[in-house]
Amino acid sequence: DKVTIKISNAGIGFTYGYKKSVTLEGLATAEPEWLAAPADEAGVLAIAITKDPAEPSCFYQIVVK
């Protein structure tokens, strides 16, 4: 099962990723999982994150660099 997050204004030249934590406070210190940047044009970037059955409830934060 996957969680899909869509970013409709993804920009060229930026790298996107996400942080995940079982608590909202834990996002502050969570390590980001970096994904590939959008190809050559801006637009919609869909991030598919595999759900972990051991973590039934998680908070996600999208990060950009």
Side-chain angles (χ1 to χ4, degrees), residues 29-64:
T29 56
E31 286 296 316
E33 294 286 330
W34 295 107
L35 308 164
D40 18 343
E41 61 184 54
V44 176
L45 171 67
I47 299 173
I49 302 166
T50 303
K51 286 184 182 179
D52 185 343
E55 297 173 341
S57 178
C58 288
F59 292 92
Y60 294 93
Q61 178 182 26
I62 302 302
V63 288
V64 182

Side-chain angles (χ1 to χ4, degrees), residues 17-36:
Y18 66 92
K19 292 181 176 185
K20 178 178 82 167
S21 176
V22 292
T23 64
L24 191 56
E25 296 79 16
L27 288 174
T29 56
E31 286 296 316
E33 294 286 330
W34 295 107
L35 308 164

Side-chain angles (χ1 to χ4, degrees), residues 1-18:
D1 217 11
K2 292 187 180 285
V3 173
T4 302
I5 299 167
K6 291 186 179 178
I7 301 170
S8 61
N9 60 343
I12 301 167
F14 293 97
T15 301
Y16 291 84
Y18 66 92

